[in-house]
Amino acid sequence: MATEVHVGRRMARKEDRPLVTGTGRFVADIRPVGTVDVAFGRSPVAHARIEAIGTEAATAMDGVVGVYTAPDIQGQVQPFTLFVDQEHTPPSLDQSIHPVIRPCDMDVLALTRVRYVGQPVVAIVAESRYLAEDAAELVDIDYEELPVLTDPEAAIAPGAPLLHEQVPGNVQASFDVDLGAVDAVFAEAEHTASFRFLVPRVAGSPIETRGVLAVHDPVQEELTVWSSTQTPYMVRTRIAEMLGLAEQQVRVIAPDVGGGFGPKVQVYPEEILVAHLSMRLGRPVCWIEDRNEHLVATGQSRDQVHTVEVAYRGDGTITGLRDRFLLDCGAFNPFSITCAYNTAAHLRGLYRVPAYRIRGECVLTNKTPNVPYRGAGRPEATFVMDRVVDVVARRLGLDPAEVIGRNLLTVAEMPCDRGMPYRDGAPIVYDCGDVPASFDRLLRQVGYAEHRSATREVQDGHVRRGIGFATYVEGTGKGPHEGARALLDSRGDIIVLAGCTPHGQSHETAFSQVAADALGVSPEQITFRAGDTALVPYGVGTFASRSAVTAGTAVAVAGGRLRQRILAVAGELLEAAPDDLEFQDSTVHVQGDVTSSVTLHQIAAAAAPGPAARLPAGMDHGMDESYYFVPPTVTFASGLMAAVVDVDTETGVIDVRKIVLVHDSGRLINPMVVEGQIHGGVAQGVGTALYERLVYDDTGQPLTTTFMDYLLPTSMEVPKVEQIHVETRSDRNPLGVKGVGEAGTISPPPAIVNAVVDALAPLSVEFSELPLTPEVVLDAVLAARSGRTGGQR
Amino acid sequence: MKPPRFRYFAADSTAHAVELLGEYGDEAKLLAGGQSVVPLLNFRLVAPAVLIDINRITELDHVRVDGITTRVGALVRQRTIERDQELRRRGPMLTETVGLIGHVAIRNRGTVGGALAHADPAGEWPALGLLLGACFRIVGPRGRRTVPVDEFFRGFLTTAIEPDELLEEVELRLPSPGAGHAFVEVARRHGDFALVGVGAVVELDSRCRIAHIAIALIGVASTAVRAGDAERVLRGELPSTELVKSAAEAAAAGLDPVDDIHASGTYRRRIAGVLTRRALYTALARAGWERRDVA
């Protein structure tokens, strides 16, 4: 192996130069000659039958290339069915949680019925987007409005109208988890409490909206699609299936992608339709989503309501928990139980909770479909659990830190079998480190002892300071697989290719470090590319905190194999044993004799088939190694967070002063990249805690369709984040790494809410809904001061 | 989010703009900083046949401080006011308050005239107009006229400016050198339109009585409003915490703000009282009042 180790170094990002000099290339930057633009006519109503569509005026407009409705594409474009791995859950999962999953197909363009505002109904192709939007205003659609469901509890009530006839009770999917003697624990409980928690619907909000460009070559019978996606391989599979092509005829490229956060994991109707139209018209076809569209047409997330009971002892030990929750999945549910089961699998988090029963139901309503968003069910779980722990402590008059410590899993309990399967079917076995020790570090770092002994008033008697805690655990590095190739090009340069799809995760930097160590060269020598289905035959994509584990391992193994091949050929050329050789820059030489060397260029030439080939006996031609890593199951990252807040008790305004996080994502490939990932995650967690909520009125009209009404935190709202790294190496992959992409997002909501409760401690307020707005805080303060119960219970 | 087709004219003088307004009137919209009209166009909430760009009219871009009177051309950018050394020296009421508007990028483009003519009920400029006794110089095909602030704001996003007229200049009376001022807000995020904002200007006489008081609130009605009842509580009195509290209650009592997705009317009324009290304390302190009875 290499003498210099690059994994673990704070190496500056290789990908920054084009991005900060304006030479990055996003979908909207690519415009082949002859490109035409699409605007979508989208449903303006939440639920209606389509009686008639008049497209004559739009079609006749100058500059319009074509206007397409569902009948125009029938038979040529198949509808969306559930993703295969959503429809077929692993047998061990079936036996354990008895999932019921109903098919719920989605047309690419609505044929007879629309089920949410923003659903695509008509596609207008024109010589410019301006003209396409002008023509969209001329399309005349007659909607016969139907009863609207916006509340999942109303949607499952007897007699509610059905959104899809084949889905009884509007419950698209459900499952049950039952662990331990739950009823007996509750029957014998010293104390019980019940709660209703609500986590609202939010938007992932990547800075780059979606966009698709498709070019069809009728001679080669090849379709090339550029899409701002996290999953080019899934886009390829879907386009091939739905348009009747072989996957080998479709190349999908995710060029520079300005963030994804989960919503870009879904394959969308627009991607299929733009591809279809490029084939149909014989012209490049482009669609760039605008922000207004994004807030209705791109998948939305969270949106869970939990009914929870907890059993606990007088010392704060939690003995049992029962939960039934609804996930409002909107009008279709492309990801089935993904987020809901993540919630159930992670809800107990780092706490012991020996008896546990949870039922999750995905309920159809007239809203935009629900998709995973950074954390994907875990922020909801953590909000429930860490609020429960805080309330238990406060109702008993105990210090929340003491109650947290009493319920945390200890190092003696690791690895900890949680008695239920993960979504991949394997048993959930935590491979976390010494969690209580991390909690002690957190308490010291945030100055908790000093805080407990100080007055909480920080200004004029109306600003009070509080500290709150939360935890997280996350299964990271989910399969099914990820691939990588390592090769020498014709000049002898080292090229590393992977099936992951970077969109802000610094893969070029981090995987250059991994490949450099595997090969024994410097990261600067590595050219890394990914996000293109032409590079590696099989791939998955980047989401679910998976790429460091899966692609990272594939890169390490493929890189190691290339090193062996290079040394073998070099040995043949130098007439030396491969073990006696070492790398120096772009050459390989005999140890201790730099004059006896060959260049990588010479090695590449010697490996190529032909008369000049010189290979060791029995070795095949070529200098191109591949590896597909199929992880046994996920590996568990974890962490503990403290939030420090100031609360203005006269206005309810919350100022998050600081977030402190002790996290353990295994071995760090590049600490600077990890810190950036966590900081960005915390920003989004602050958004969920205090600002973000997609609001629908009773008729299903979305009211938050601009960034003036949908409140993302800005740099002014995001606090300082102090991070302490703990590195408990994973034994489930050779690098020892765990995923970190979602880590920062999960814990801020309960940490911040618990901190506000702490700041207001003498008033005994409780909160159970997000976001925690100034109005909710002020109402709670006023209610508590007037002797009523403060807050939400 | 692409605007529908429109004709575009770049006016090179006020006279040219007035001529174009005379020709297109109702069909035309003026383009200054574009901070409101461009989003409205892109959302297709407005579809004017003609857009008259006034950004090249240099005669509308001036700040003239003359004793207690300041005249600000309609095309002056918010950021210009914010960074004006003469105004800052003369009393930082304008420079401080303008700093609350949006973000730097917005203030670099947004104009004083645009903010006043748009008359957003949560905008800071209409409140500044009320606090500083603004007079509006308006020009159109029928000539020039001057409208006092009491007659300028007519309702939600509506002013005395006719569709074929142009706001040329606003004249403001800055607080006298001994006066105190404050402008406090609660917004959901930094740079958002305020849920509620309160501005106050106070002058004390030689016996420490309140000789001049002006209070204006934003975000609580269809236009920015003066808090007349609160001012009456204070005028001529010796300041005290009780007096300030009564004034704050009076300011909130007369309000009936509406609900929206960011806050209820009830919340807005509650914090209107809190912010009035805070604005008065700050303004009084700056006017020389020494508060002795702090709780």
Side-chain angles (χ1 to χ4, degrees):
Chain A
M1 285 300 288
T3 47
E4 192 180 354
V5 174
H6 299 284
V7 168
R9 265 181 56 205
R10 291 177 177 271
M11 185 181 148
R13 273 164 46 98
K14 291 174 77 175
E15 44 273 87
D16 277 341
R17 176 175 261 288
L19 295 175
V20 301
T21 55
T23 51
R25 197 171 70 152
F26 298 84
V27 173
D29 297 320
I30 307 166
R31 190 142 184 112
V33 174
T35 299
V36 287
D37 291 281
V38 182
F40 285 93
R42 300 179 180 280
S43 175
V45 291
H47 197 191
R49 241 191 324 274
I50 300 173
E51 297 287 328
I53 305 181
T55 58
E56 296 77 12
T59 308
M61 208 187 95
D62 270 356
V64 170
V65 175
V67 179
Y68 304 91
T69 61
D72 300 321
I73 62 168
Q74 231 175 355
Q76 299 176 65
V77 180
Q78 302 307 312
F80 279 98
T81 53
L82 287 172
F83 286 164
V84 173
D85 69 327
Q86 309 302 339
E87 210 164 7
H88 303 289
T89 47
S92 57
L93 198 64
D94 290 343
Q95 286 153 24
S96 171
I97 67 166
H98 313 293
V100 176
I101 298 173
R102 312 268 182 197
C104 187
D105 291 1
M106 179 169 74
D107 287 323
V108 168
L109 292 173
L111 179 63
T112 56
R113 193 164 159 191
V114 288
R115 293 182 174 86
Y116 65 93
V117 172
Q119 187 173 357
V121 180
V122 53
I124 297 103
V125 185
E127 298 293 344
S128 79
R129 177 66 178 256
Y130 292 84
L131 295 172
E133 290 193 20
D134 289 347
E137 294 194 330
L138 301 178
V139 177
D140 184 20
I141 305 177
D142 185 6
Y143 291 105
E144 177 68 29
E145 293 201 35
L146 296 169
V148 171
L149 294 168
T150 58
D151 172 11
E153 288 173 323
I156 59 169
L162 294 183
L163 242 57
H164 298 269
E165 275 63 32
Q166 75 280 15
V167 181
N170 294 313
V171 179
Q172 189 272 333
S174 64
F175 59 83
D176 291 278
V177 174
D178 203 346
L179 300 175
V182 179
D183 292 330
V185 164
F186 273 86
E188 294 157 15
E190 284 178 43
H191 303 273
T192 63
S194 57
F195 309 87
R196 182 184 149 86
F197 290 106
L198 200 146
V199 177
R201 181 169 274 250
V202 299
S205 307
I207 196 163
E208 184 202 11
T209 54
R210 291 184 294 134
V212 194
L213 167 70
V215 178
H216 184 239
D217 179 341
V219 179
Q220 299 282 347
E221 296 187 336
E222 278 175 3
L223 179 66
T224 305
V225 179
W226 288 263
S227 183
S228 182
T229 179
Q230 296 174 245
T231 54
Y233 290 89
M234 290 191 210
V235 175
R236 180 180 69 172
T237 301
R238 283 303 176 137
I239 287 175
E241 276 174 9
M242 292 168 69
L243 301 185
L245 301 168
E247 288 190 15
Q248 286 72 11
Q249 289 177 289
V250 184
R251 177 182 179 187
V252 177
I253 303 167
D256 282 329
V257 173
F261 307 119
K264 290 184 190 171
V265 175
Q266 195 192 332
V267 183
Y268 286 90
E270 293 89 346
E271 288 168 307
I272 308 298
L273 203 65
V274 166
H276 167 71
L277 291 172
S278 75
M279 295 174 69
R280 186 165 179 152
L281 295 168
R283 291 181 72 171
V285 177
C286 177
W287 167 74
I288 304 295
E289 183 180 56
D290 64 41
R291 186 62 65 182
N292 203 201
E293 274 184 300
H294 183 82
L295 285 164
V296 297
T298 289
Q300 305 171 348
S301 197
R302 316 265 193 256
D303 210 353
Q304 296 187 3
V305 52
H306 288 251
T307 306
V308 181
E309 293 168 283
V310 60
Y312 56 103
R313 290 205 281 264
D315 67 353
T317 302
I318 293 173
T319 53
L321 190 131
R322 289 193 286 228
D323 185 357
R324 181 206 180 191
F325 72 98
L326 307 180
L327 182 153
D328 180 341
C329 63
F332 301 90
N333 193 19
F335 288 88
S336 182
I337 62 168
T338 298
C339 288
Y341 191 66
N342 275 352
T343 299
H346 293 84
L347 195 127
R348 290 175 298 163
L350 294 172
Y351 300 111
R352 202 167 290 107
V353 193
Y356 175 52
R357 177 183 295 158
I358 186 165
R359 174 175 172 78
E361 296 176 31
C362 301
V363 181
L364 295 158
T365 64
N366 292 108
K367 297 180 191 164
T368 300
N370 195 313
V371 302
Y373 162 44
R374 204 171 191 176
R378 301 171 187 90
E380 300 91 311
T382 305
F383 182 62
V384 169
M385 193 67 219
D386 277 297
R387 280 296 299 135
V388 164
V389 172
D390 194 73
V391 172
V392 163
R394 291 183 189 282
R395 288 196 184 176
L396 291 169
L398 300 172
D399 178 352
E402 182 190 333
V403 173
I404 290 169
R406 189 154 292 142
N407 287 286
L408 283 177
L409 293 165
T410 63
V411 68
E413 291 166 278
M414 298 291 166
C416 182
D417 188 332
R418 300 298 269 161
M420 63 187 284
Y422 200 71
R423 197 153 42 84
D424 59 14
I428 294 177
V429 181
Y430 289 173
D431 51 343
C432 306
D434 189 343
V435 174
S438 289
F439 188 50
D440 286 343
R441 286 185 74 176
L442 180 69
L443 294 175
R444 284 199 303 277
Q445 180 72 21
V446 77
Y448 191 62
E450 296 82 344
H451 170 72
R452 289 285 290 181
S453 58
T455 169
R456 288 172 196 194
E457 292 184 6
V458 290
Q459 192 192 319
D460 278 3
H462 66 261
V463 176
R464 300 178 60 85
R465 180 157 297 169
I467 295 180
F469 301 103
T471 60
Y472 83 89
V473 65
E474 183 192 5
T476 67
K478 187 178 177 297
H481 61 85
E482 199 61 272
R485 281 167 67 196
L487 57 102
L488 293 185
D489 70 9
S490 60
R491 294 180 304 186
D493 289 344
I494 302 166
I495 313 292
V496 174
L497 312 169
C500 54
T501 309
H503 47 281
Q505 293 82 356
S506 314
H507 288 176
E508 185 178 350
T509 306
F511 295 153
S512 291
Q513 292 175 259
V514 170
D517 279 0
L519 277 147
V521 299
S522 80
E524 290 73 21
Q525 276 177 268
I526 308 285
T527 298
F528 177 84
R529 288 177 61 205
D532 179 347
T533 59
L535 303 178
V536 179
Y538 307 97
V540 180
T542 291
F543 53 90
S545 304
R546 68 188 300 279
S547 292
V549 174
T550 57
T553 300
V555 164
V557 175
R561 286 179 177 179
L562 181 66
R563 175 185 168 87
Q564 295 312 317
R565 184 166 272 271
I566 288 170
L567 293 180
V569 175
E572 183 71 17
L573 294 173
L574 294 171
E575 297 177 351
D579 288 349
D580 294 338
L581 301 176
E582 63 184 28
F583 280 78
Q584 185 169 12
D585 300 328
S586 292
T587 64
V588 176
H589 63 83
V590 177
Q591 282 172 20
D593 179 12
V594 293
T595 60
S596 182
S597 71
V598 286
T599 64
L600 292 178
H601 187 181
Q602 290 169 314
I603 294 168
R614 273 187 69 189
L615 292 168
M619 180 180 269
D620 290 340
H621 292 95
M623 207 33 96
D624 185 342
E625 293 285 356
S626 298
Y627 181 70
Y628 293 93
F629 180 55
V630 180
T633 180
V634 292
T635 182
F636 286 88
S638 63
L640 299 126
M641 181 179 284
V644 182
V645 305
D646 284 354
V647 182
D648 184 328
T649 56
E650 292 183 332
T651 61
V653 171
I654 299 160
D655 179 12
V656 183
R657 309 285 302 176
K658 188 165 70 173
I659 294 282
V660 184
L661 175 67
V662 179
H663 84 99
D664 184 350
S665 56
R667 184 184 181 204
L668 304 183
I669 296 173
N670 182 329
M672 194 166 63
V673 166
V674 168
E675 285 160 11
Q677 283 286 311
I678 287 177
H679 204 131
V682 167
Q684 290 183 306
V686 168
T688 302
L690 299 178
Y691 300 103
E692 297 182 45
R693 183 162 64 105
L694 289 159
V695 181
Y696 287 81
D697 73 10
D698 291 342
T699 69
Q701 282 297 326
L703 304 181
T704 40
T705 60
T706 74
F707 278 165
M708 276 187 75
D709 287 325
Y710 186 77
L711 307 181
L712 287 178
T714 72
S715 59
M716 298 295 284
E717 280 72 46
V718 178
K720 190 176 152 198
V721 182
E722 290 175 11
Q723 304 180 27
I724 297 174
H725 306 301
V726 176
E727 298 188 49
T728 305
R729 293 194 176 204
S730 175
D731 59 7
R732 296 175 193 175
N733 62 76
L735 287 173
V737 299
K738 299 176 178 181
V740 76
E742 298 164 282
T745 321
I746 300 172
S747 302
I752 289 168
V753 173
N754 289 344
V756 173
V757 169
D758 184 59
L760 302 175
L763 296 174
S764 297
V765 299
E766 293 182 1
F767 300 106
S768 58
E769 297 183 13
L770 297 172
L772 187 57
T773 64
E775 177 160 8
V776 170
V777 173
L778 185 61
D779 282 349
V781 168
L782 294 176
R785 284 192 176 147
S786 67
R788 288 173 287 131
T789 304
Q792 304 154 333
R793 294 192 190 222
Chain B
M1 290 240 301
K2 303 290 184 198
R5 196 180 288 268
F6 54 82
R7 291 180 72 190
Y8 169 90
F9 295 97
D12 49 26
S13 66
T14 307
H16 186 200
V18 168
E19 186 191 317
L20 289 164
L21 282 167
E23 191 171 347
Y24 297 105
D26 278 354
E27 296 175 77
K29 280 261 175 218
L30 295 174
L31 173 68
Q35 298 303 291
S36 301
V37 79
V38 171
L40 290 170
L41 280 167
N42 284 346
F43 283 119
R44 296 186 176 229
L45 293 172
V46 296
V50 172
L51 213 55
I52 303 170
D53 184 345
I54 60 169
N55 282 287
R56 288 171 180 75
I57 307 178
T58 49
E59 61 198 325
L60 296 179
D61 187 6
H62 60 266
V63 179
R64 295 195 186 105
V65 183
D66 180 13
I68 204 157
T69 302
T70 294
R71 290 186 294 156
V72 181
L75 200 59
V76 174
R77 311 286 159 177
Q78 314 288 10
R79 189 71 170 155
T80 306
I81 299 288
E82 190 183 358
R83 302 177 75 163
D84 189 300
Q85 292 306 316
E86 173 69 8
L87 283 175
R88 188 173 296 272
R89 195 189 53 75
R90 190 48 199 75
M93 171 106 208
L94 281 176
T95 52
E96 267 183 33
T97 306
V98 166
L100 298 171
I101 299 171
H103 305 274
V104 170
I106 290 171
R107 299 197 291 275
N108 274 332
R109 294 297 307 160
T111 63
V112 173
L116 286 163
H118 189 58
D120 193 293
E124 286 80 1
W125 268 105
L128 287 171
L130 293 173
L131 291 169
L132 302 177
C135 268
F136 297 84
R137 203 148 74 113
I138 297 168
V139 61
R142 293 169 301 283
R144 288 200 158 75
R145 63 196 180 105
T146 301
V147 177
V149 69
D150 304 346
E151 298 166 22
F152 185 74
F153 298 110
R154 297 283 172 84
F156 181 70
L157 304 182
T158 310
T159 69
I161 307 169
E162 297 293 332
D164 61 353
E165 288 183 316
L166 165 73
L167 177 62
E168 262 189 303
E169 186 182 83
V170 59
E171 187 181 299
L172 303 164
R173 288 200 302 277
L174 292 185
S176 56
H181 74 273
F183 208 109
V184 294
E185 295 184 347
V186 168
R188 287 290 278 114
R189 299 171 301 182
H190 290 83
D192 278 341
F193 275 114
L195 297 177
V196 177
V198 180
V201 182
V202 187
E203 277 175 51
L204 301 179
D205 65 16
S206 56
R207 295 174 304 152
C208 213
R209 292 184 189 278
I210 297 172
H212 172 74
I213 177 71
I215 303 170
L217 291 89
I218 60 174
V220 293
S222 60
T223 65
V225 291
R226 278 286 282 267
D229 290 346
E231 292 173 4
R232 274 188 287 281
V233 168
L234 296 163
R235 198 166 285 126
E237 300 293 327
L238 269 175
S240 69
T241 50
E242 288 70 34
L243 187 74
V244 167
K245 282 177 184 162
S246 322
E249 281 167 22
L255 302 174
D256 187 18
V258 296
D259 300 347
D260 67 20
I261 60 170
H262 300 302
S264 71
T266 306
Y267 177 76
R268 286 186 158 88
R269 190 168 58 245
R270 278 176 181 154
I271 61 167
V274 172
L275 294 180
T276 302
R277 171 160 49 80
R278 290 183 184 178
L280 286 170
Y281 279 144
T282 302
L284 282 164
R286 284 171 162 180
W289 178 51
E290 286 178 39
R291 188 174 155 195
R292 295 200 182 80
D293 50 355
V294 174

